[in-house]
Amino acid sequence: MSSGSDYVRPLAELAVQLGANVQPGQVVLVVSEPGKEPLARAVAEAAYERGAKFVDMYVFDIYFKRARVLHAAPDTLDYVPPWLGAQVLALGEHRAASIALSGPVAPHLMDDLDPALVGKDMLPWLKQIPEVVEARTTNWTGIPCPTDDWAALVHPGLEPGEALARLWRKVAHMCRVDEPDAVAAWRSRLDQLVEVAGKLDALALDALRYYGPGTDLTVGLFPSSRWQTVRFSTVGGIEHVANIPTEEVFTTPDPERVNGVARATKPLFTSGAVVSGLQVRFEDGRAVAIDAEQGAATLQTLAAHDAGAARLGEVALVDRASRIGAMDTVFFDTLIDENAASHIALGHGYANAVDDDDRERMNTSGIHIDFMIGSNELAVTGLTRDGGEIPLLLAGAWQLERAI
Amino acid sequence: MSSGSDYVRPLAELAVQLGANVQPGQVVLVVSEPGKEPLARAVAEAAYERGAKFVDMYVFDIYFKRARVLHAAPDTLDYVPPWLGAQVLALGEHRAASIALSGPVAPHLMDDLDPALVGKDMLPWLKQIPEVVEARTTNWTGIPCPTDDWAALVHPGLEPGEALARLWRKVAHMCRVDEPDAVAAWRSRLDQLVEVAGKLDALALDALRYYGPGTDLTVGLFPSSRWQTVRFSTVGGIEHVANIPTEEVFTTPDPERVNGVARATKPLFTSGAVVSGLQVRFEDGRAVAIDAEQGAATLQTLAAHDAGAARLGEVALVDRASRIGAMDTVFFDTLIDENAASHIALGHGYANAVDDDDRERMNTSGIHIDFMIGSNELAVTGLTRDGGEIPLLLAGAWQLERAI
């Protein structure tokens, strides 16, 4: 196993069978980038073998974005041609499936550009994506796709071939395709996460309190905030797993009741830039100060995108039993890193986690940016409506057996 | 100059400036394939430098098509998700520009598949493309993009690096980017072609007769058939050159008056298959027999696509003074090969070459497949309405000075 090529086919099959759960006769979109062709093609093949009617591909090229930021008129950088959003809506209308291949490509390509300009171009993010997610009309998933670029970022000290092979081994392990039956392994893990979510729901918490080095944050919850896993199902009843790997339970918080300071415990990679050493201070729900050692301007620009961009749309808890957390590796890919540690997200909330009344109060935005605040040093406590405090996570371990 | 990389930027600039003639504020679509990223990115950069508002990319992956033909239900192979055509129409509505990168990728990928199935999937061809071309709402061009795959097909005896370098040298020469001022060189050559077209128009021919080894074909013209070059202009007055290189003059024939037999003088590459040793017999306009040494079934399937698919939509004349003809090389790329030799095309006609009355009688189809019948051994004669015969091309040389 030198290049990871033995894992390509199993990972593609997992994405098609368990992730998107592609149905016979469905149209499938593969969202990819240059350099990800081997996995993209394996996904297409696995989807057709499972009976897909048509497999389309959307390719985003970060080099096009660099040329745009360098040369286009700054006041046009937020322009999006309408057919991109129309395609997303059409996927919903057609009850299509979607499989996105994550993992940074050319991660330092924007380093010499003005982060404020980089952040104005939100693509490949589109405001129609959360609309279709909320409508639950597509069965979708995201999976990691190792590339040479990404391997060099995660393992800069290794020779390129060895870096790629090591990243593939880690991705295969976290995606459980090194198991004899990856689908069965995931069903078991997802059952556990669903059980944790049920226990958290039973606590009927009013708020969460995060306390650790650089972090002292309280996040209010709605009365109807329900804890979720990414084991989703569509309006038509197709069960899908919205990302693989997944180790989180999450819900939609009250965007007006967030106070304190949160220090990110891992870098995040967004809009073509690495943001590291991030610290965010919240007052009455709003992020009023965003500081970072690197990439602050990118996140500041994103947080100014619209009225909801500086407020929270998600809180997620991850215990250290996760295979990703155990690796103690920064992957510079939100899909993976958010599943290594507890995190919060600026921007759009997940509407299906709250009831109709609270849905009108949940945060709405054109962005959704996760950042990781969890660590072994972070304690997460649940605050009940009657003033009680219940330990949820201590030293990265669930305290729920004691709590219930 | 070992890899052709020095030609990438000049070719991209030529495509943007002369080919599509991208205007400030325009949206531009780059139509590409995996492996063509260096030129695609150079085109994007040149377009943004010229003031483009947004450069989008559509990537077609022939490996997706292979998986589809192998595994999808045969009766679904002609399905096209509606958003692909909608995007083409939207480009027209937005008065966008479009730049396509031609050149075969993985040319033998379909060799082991059933050609009848391969021919059912017409993508990336879309029926909306000729609609938008006829409406003249986009300024578009196609340019060749050398890749390793393509170089190995054209120069199978060479080591890969040398094959690519030689293909790049040929492409650079035929695209005139080896000239100090490629744009000026093309303006001069296009002026010549426009002059030839004018002379042919002045003859007011009733038909063309092709005579040579394996070919004895008569093609009727409409009273209003006007000879064209690919120096087009949009409804908004943007002049563009629809493909670079170009060496042809062409018009739209009468699809009812084609009789005789035509033997292709070069292979053609279409729908992922190579068609070589092609011979087609026409009766009263219809291709009633299609034979080939290789790939006959692919073309037979394409010719059965719809009622117009077995009739001619184009006749084109190319003299041997063209830089491509002088290379005496088979490129397996219609964009280039059709400009080496006189050719005819099954399928949709070019509406803007005829007046309204004849437009209703011109051939319409969802396909347009050029194949080359010209050679030094082919004589092309013009037949006038009063029974006269005028030599047009003899031994690949224009006879027009004598004719007029």
Side-chain angles (χ1 to χ4, degrees):
Chain A
M1 182 90 41
S2 64
S3 68
S5 60
D6 289 356
Y7 294 128
V8 170
R9 174 76 198 184
L11 185 55
E13 287 180 358
L14 182 68
V16 166
Q17 291 172 26
L18 181 83
N21 188 11
V22 171
Q23 303 294 302
Q26 269 199 310
V27 173
V28 182
L29 179 71
V30 179
V31 180
S32 185
E33 293 178 276
K36 297 179 174 175
E37 289 82 8
L39 185 56
R41 290 166 180 169
V43 166
E45 186 162 38
Y48 277 124
E49 285 176 11
R50 205 172 155 91
K53 182 179 185 181
F54 185 77
V55 184
D56 198 6
M57 176 166 61
Y58 174 73
V59 174
F60 175 77
D61 191 335
I62 189 79
Y63 287 83
F64 276 46
K65 178 163 172 167
R66 176 179 170 82
R68 186 185 197 190
V69 173
L70 272 173
H71 303 295
D75 65 350
T76 66
L77 288 176
D78 58 355
Y79 172 77
V80 178
W83 51 84
L84 295 182
Q87 179 181 358
V88 172
L89 297 179
L91 289 168
E93 288 158 16
H94 283 72
R95 301 292 190 266
S98 169
I99 299 172
L101 308 187
S102 81
V105 171
H108 295 297
L109 194 66
M110 305 301 201
D111 287 359
D112 60 332
L113 303 185
D114 179 350
L117 295 180
V118 172
K120 280 193 73 178
D121 178 352
M122 305 280 297
L123 290 167
W125 176 261
L126 292 161
K127 66 176 190 230
Q128 289 83 1
I129 292 173
E131 286 181 37
V132 172
V133 166
E134 285 172 23
R136 298 194 296 124
T137 45
T138 60
N139 39 317
W140 53 281
T141 194
I143 57 169
C145 178
T147 58
D148 283 323
D149 280 4
W150 187 13
L153 190 68
V154 178
H155 297 298
L158 297 182
E159 172 274 318
E162 178 50 31
L164 182 60
R166 189 172 302 188
L167 179 59
W168 258 115
R169 283 196 297 274
K170 288 185 172 177
V171 164
H173 183 62
M174 71 177 70
C175 292
R176 292 171 165 76
V177 290
D178 57 353
E179 298 274 339
D181 185 343
V183 170
W186 275 113
R187 293 205 196 285
S188 166
R189 175 60 174 159
L190 286 160
D191 286 345
Q192 292 169 359
L193 293 172
V194 167
E195 187 186 348
V196 166
K199 288 180 177 176
L200 287 168
D201 281 344
L203 296 175
L205 298 171
D206 179 58
L208 301 174
R209 178 155 181 222
Y210 299 84
Y211 190 78
T215 292
D216 186 354
L217 184 72
T218 303
V219 179
L221 300 178
F222 290 123
S224 75
S225 293
R226 284 182 309 276
W227 290 88
Q228 311 284 315
T229 72
V230 295
R231 183 187 266 173
F232 290 169
S233 68
T234 68
V235 286
I238 303 170
E239 194 172 87
H240 61 109
V241 180
N243 44 263
I244 297 174
T246 179
E247 306 284 350
E248 63 173 335
V249 295
F250 64 96
T251 192
T252 299
D254 182 342
E256 306 286 334
R257 294 198 296 137
V258 183
N259 284 285
V261 64
R263 178 181 290 174
T265 50
K266 290 172 181 286
L268 74 109
F269 180 75
T270 187
S271 289
V274 172
V275 181
S276 61
L278 175 67
Q279 186 149 328
V280 183
R281 190 158 57 81
F282 292 89
E283 287 179 12
D284 296 333
R286 264 187 59 82
V288 294
I290 296 176
D291 299 302
E293 290 159 17
Q294 182 187 357
T298 296
L299 200 63
Q300 287 162 359
T301 301
L302 288 168
H305 180 73
D306 52 36
R311 294 181 184 272
L312 291 190
E314 179 189 344
V315 290
L317 299 176
V318 177
D319 73 313
R320 289 287 301 224
S322 100
R323 288 195 177 187
I324 302 163
M327 289 177 188
D328 199 24
T329 302
V330 179
F331 289 94
F332 300 94
D333 185 50
T334 298
L335 168 73
I336 297 174
D337 288 325
E338 72 168 356
N339 283 297
S342 294
H343 57 274
I344 55 182
L346 290 173
H348 208 70
Y350 181 65
N352 298 323
V354 291
D355 286 346
D356 285 348
D357 284 354
D358 292 331
R359 195 166 299 172
E360 289 172 18
R361 297 165 53 210
M362 81 163 206
N363 200 35
T364 57
S365 172
I367 71 159
H368 181 100
I369 311 285
D370 296 274
F371 59 99
M372 283 55 79
I373 61 173
S375 71
N376 276 347
E377 288 71 47
L378 185 81
V380 185
T381 305
L383 309 181
T384 61
R385 282 169 214 293
D386 56 9
E389 297 196 10
I390 303 172
L392 303 179
L393 276 171
L394 276 179
W398 287 116
Q399 308 296 309
L400 294 171
E401 298 306 332
R402 229 189 316 159
I404 299 172
Chain B
M1 181 90 41
S2 63
S3 66
S5 59
D6 289 356
Y7 294 128
V8 169
R9 174 75 199 184
L11 185 55
E13 287 179 357
L14 183 67
V16 166
Q17 292 173 25
L18 181 82
N21 188 12
V22 171
Q23 303 294 303
Q26 269 199 311
V27 174
V28 182
L29 179 71
V30 178
V31 180
S32 186
E33 294 177 274
K36 296 179 174 175
E37 290 82 8
L39 186 56
R41 290 165 180 169
V43 166
E45 186 162 39
Y48 278 123
E49 285 176 12
R50 204 171 155 95
K53 182 179 185 181
F54 184 78
V55 184
D56 197 5
M57 177 165 60
Y58 173 72
V59 175
F60 174 77
D61 190 335
I62 189 80
Y63 287 83
F64 276 47
K65 177 163 173 167
R66 176 180 169 81
R68 184 184 198 192
V69 173
L70 272 174
H71 303 296
D75 65 350
T76 66
L77 289 175
D78 57 355
Y79 173 78
V80 177
W83 51 83
L84 296 183
Q87 180 181 359
V88 172
L89 297 178
L91 289 168
E93 288 157 16
H94 283 73
R95 301 292 189 268
S98 169
I99 299 173
L101 308 187
S102 82
V105 170
H108 295 297
L109 193 66
M110 305 302 200
D111 286 359
D112 60 332
L113 303 184
D114 179 351
L117 295 180
V118 172
K120 279 192 74 177
D121 178 351
M122 305 280 297
L123 291 167
W125 176 261
L126 291 161
K127 66 178 187 218
Q128 289 84 359
I129 293 173
E131 285 180 38
V132 172
V133 166
E134 285 171 23
R136 297 193 295 124
T137 45
T138 61
N139 39 318
W140 53 281
T141 194
I143 57 168
C145 179
T147 59
D148 283 323
D149 281 3
W150 187 13
L153 190 68
V154 178
H155 297 299
L158 297 181
E159 172 275 318
E162 178 51 31
L164 182 61
R166 189 171 303 187
L167 179 59
W168 258 115
R169 283 196 297 274
K170 288 185 172 177
V171 163
H173 184 61
M174 70 177 71
C175 292
R176 292 171 165 77
V177 290
D178 59 353
E179 299 274 338
D181 184 342
V183 170
W186 275 113
R187 292 205 196 285
S188 167
R189 176 59 176 160
L190 286 160
D191 286 346
Q192 291 168 1
L193 293 172
V194 168
E195 187 186 348
V196 166
K199 287 180 177 177
L200 287 168
D201 281 345
L203 296 175
L205 299 171
D206 179 57
L208 301 174
R209 178 157 181 220
Y210 299 83
Y211 189 78
T215 293
D216 185 356
L217 184 72
T218 303
V219 179
L221 300 177
F222 289 123
S224 75
S225 294
R226 283 183 309 277
W227 291 89
Q228 310 284 315
T229 71
V230 295
R231 182 187 267 173
F232 290 168
S233 70
T234 68
V235 286
I238 302 170
E239 194 172 86
H240 62 108
V241 180
N243 44 264
I244 297 173
T246 180
E247 305 284 350
E248 63 173 337
V249 294
F250 64 96
T251 192
T252 299
D254 182 343
E256 306 285 335
R257 294 197 296 135
V258 182
N259 283 285
V261 64
R263 178 181 291 175
T265 50
K266 290 171 181 286
L268 73 108
F269 180 74
T270 187
S271 287
V274 172
V275 182
S276 61
L278 175 67
Q279 186 150 328
V280 183
R281 191 159 56 82
F282 291 89
E283 287 179 10
D284 296 334
R286 263 187 60 82
V288 293
I290 295 175
D291 299 303
E293 289 159 19
Q294 182 189 356
T298 297
L299 200 64
Q300 287 161 359
T301 301
L302 289 167
H305 180 73
D306 51 35
R311 294 181 184 273
L312 292 190
E314 180 188 345
V315 289
L317 299 176
V318 177
D319 73 314
R320 290 286 303 226
S322 100
R323 287 194 177 188
I324 302 163
M327 288 177 188
D328 198 25
T329 302
V330 179
F331 289 95
F332 299 95
D333 185 51
T334 298
L335 168 73
I336 297 175
D337 288 324
E338 72 167 357
N339 284 296
S342 295
H343 57 274
I344 55 183
L346 290 174
H348 207 69
Y350 182 64
N352 297 323
V354 292
D355 286 346
D356 285 348
D357 285 353
D358 292 331
R359 198 166 296 171
E360 289 173 17
R361 297 165 52 209
M362 81 164 206
N363 200 36
T364 57
S365 172
I367 71 158
H368 182 101
I369 311 285
D370 296 275
F371 59 99
M372 283 54 81
I373 61 173
S375 72
N376 277 347
E377 288 70 48
L378 185 81
V380 185
T381 305
L383 309 181
T384 61
R385 281 170 215 293
D386 56 8
E389 298 194 9
I390 303 172
L392 302 179
L393 276 171
L394 278 178
W398 287 116
Q399 307 297 309
L400 293 170
E401 298 305 333
R402 230 190 314 160
I404 298 171

